[in-house]
Amino acid sequence: MPNEQTDSKRAEKWTFALTVVSLIAGGTVVAGFVDRWSGSESDNISVAASTSVSMTSTPDGGFAEDAPEFSYVTPTAVYPTTIPGCESVEAPDDEHGISIFTSTGGDDAYDDPRFPWFSGAKAASMSAAVADAIPDGVEIKFASPSRSLQFGPISAPSSSDDLPEGWAIEDLASTDASATLLRGEVSGGLTVSVNSSTAPIPPCVAGSLVERRFLPDRSVIDVQDTWSETNGQRTLSRSAFLYGIDGTRVHAYTDDTADRVGAEVQASGALPLTIDELVSLVSLPQLRITATAPPGTAPLQTDCGGWTDESSGRELDRGIVDALGDALRSGWRAAPPGAPDLGSQLGDLVLAEYDNTTTCQDLVARSGSNESRLSISITSGQPLPAPPNKYDPSYDGHPLSMETTEDGSVIERDESRGEKVHRSVVVTHPGGTRVTVSSSAEAPNVPMTFEQLEFLATTDGLEIR
């Protein structure tokens, strides 16, 4: 493979051919690779960084043979060399790398008995610690809970039977928190991953780190500051990796890309966190697998989805969402007698998981021994629904009813029955705001009544203006 001269021979370019290694419990494990990278004319050895690659399947389940060439460029690692904190430095491995992307069919759980160090309370404690440690002057971009530095459940293979040789379940069983950070004009992504491992601390390898640091308890932190180019598009990145003496592994990674839309990436050209700030993050004692969550740790917020066919509404900010939440809390205080208890978290609205024009919340409604699920969604930019043509052969009887109020709002009521009874009220205002309130329950429980749902959906102050 020809060697490309980039930045005066500082970069090596290679092309990946792709093969599928195996399927793990319904998820894909892809090994990228492989042409060996060519040797440089100098004595330097080029580092081949591994990369996760998405593959496009054909309708018959195979893979397209005419997939476009994929190129990935990283700086050339100089060897021999010295690295601060390293007694010795090894040459980059010249074997074929392997890239693994896993999406397993195992359970996503906060309380998996295979990982006794982790729980929902532990995730909440870690999330609060990381958010509190973000430096002054750095803002976490308003987003859904899963994109707001909140640690998610551990996702791990059901068994180790099909893992590549040398891999253990714990190596893949991490909990991750991510967000977009804003620092003045600079924006970039941050991801923090935590897992446990009994693997030894690796040796220093040229090109894989720029410094090795030691904590007082003899834990090791490797830091990297580098760049890469994918199909000619450069991304800056910086990371800190903690090898805890207690088996904790913490990886904090930031790059100069904010939100990715498909293959499109916008790079800001600068990084939102310094190396020292990343080191401080991975050094947090709350992230250690031996640290327990303090009593009374507040629960995590949960993601929720909206019911918007098209996201044509206004992008919501924290002020708008908080005002809508206040309106819900205030309105429900005047709920008629017999209304269920919606708990103290009513009004703690969040951005929808994949739609920043929608805010939502999932709750449990309790009335005596009866429990039902309650979902609230508020969005804008929606057209007024037209009455269904009941003589149309495709008409299925839904919604059950539709009426127009004096102010021109349209109220739809609907119900479906299966294993659960699902009941909903949708209010669409002339200004485009749509409020959807639904309740579901499985026998012997029953959902909230239409009257209760409509009381919530028509609460004053829920219009997005």
Side-chain angles (χ1 to χ4, degrees), residues 234-440:
R234 177 165 293 200
T235 298
L236 306 178
S237 63
R238 187 173 285 157
S239 65
F241 199 111
L242 168 81
Y243 299 93
I245 196 70
D246 59 352
T248 301
R249 300 291 185 265
V250 184
H251 184 210
Y253 172 92
T254 187
D255 61 24
D256 66 336
T257 64
D259 298 318
R260 297 171 180 260
V261 181
E264 297 298 321
V265 179
Q266 296 296 324
S268 66
L271 295 166
L273 295 178
T274 66
I275 286 179
D276 287 342
E277 290 166 345
L278 289 172
V279 169
S280 295
L281 285 179
V282 300
S283 303
L284 289 170
Q286 296 91 336
L287 303 187
R288 295 297 183 102
I289 62 172
T290 48
T292 57
T297 299
L300 293 168
Q301 289 186 303
T302 57
D303 274 333
C304 54
W307 294 271
T308 306
D309 293 332
E310 294 184 5
S311 300
S312 57
R314 174 181 178 180
E315 183 172 333
L316 303 180
D317 58 33
R318 197 181 305 274
I320 294 174
V321 172
D322 288 347
L324 294 171
D326 289 342
L328 278 172
R329 280 186 286 266
S330 177
W332 191 246
R333 292 191 192 105
D341 179 11
L342 301 185
S344 61
Q345 293 183 329
L346 173 65
D348 292 347
L349 297 170
V350 298
L351 280 187
E353 189 171 4
Y354 301 110
D355 181 6
N356 59 12
T357 69
T358 300
T359 183
C360 53
Q361 183 178 18
D362 294 332
L363 295 163
V364 176
R366 295 181 173 89
S367 182
S369 60
N370 187 81
E371 288 190 359
S372 62
R373 299 294 302 179
L374 173 66
S375 296
I376 303 169
S377 172
I378 307 172
T379 191
S380 63
Q382 302 303 304
L384 289 171
N389 181 0
K390 297 183 178 181
Y391 301 101
D392 189 327
S394 64
Y395 176 64
D396 61 0
H398 297 283
L400 296 182
S401 69
M402 178 182 290
E403 69 171 276
T404 301
T405 64
E406 291 184 359
D407 69 354
S409 299
V410 176
I411 301 177
E412 302 169 83
R413 303 174 187 84
D414 205 1
E415 181 179 281
S416 61
R417 292 178 176 269
E419 292 184 2
K420 296 182 178 182
V421 178
H422 181 87
R423 194 171 287 156
S424 66
V425 171
V426 180
V427 178
T428 305
H429 296 278
T433 297
R434 178 168 294 167
V435 182
T436 302
V437 182
S438 65
S439 178
S440 61

Side-chain angles (χ1 to χ4, degrees), residues 148-187:
S148 300
L149 283 184
Q150 180 170 290
F151 284 94
I154 286 179
S155 180
S158 301
S159 73
S160 59
D161 295 344
D162 297 320
L163 294 183
E165 184 178 355
W167 286 78
I169 288 179
E170 66 178 8
D171 296 319
L172 300 176
S174 67
T175 174
D176 309 308
S178 61
T180 296
L181 301 184
L182 308 175
R183 192 170 206 166
E185 299 298 318
V186 175
S187 63

Side-chain angles (χ1 to χ4, degrees), residues 111-136:
D111 299 284
D112 190 325
R114 295 177 297 172
F115 315 109
W117 65 271
F118 190 64
S119 65
K122 172 70 170 176
S125 174
M126 295 196 305
S127 300
V130 171
D132 289 344
I134 296 299
D136 293 340

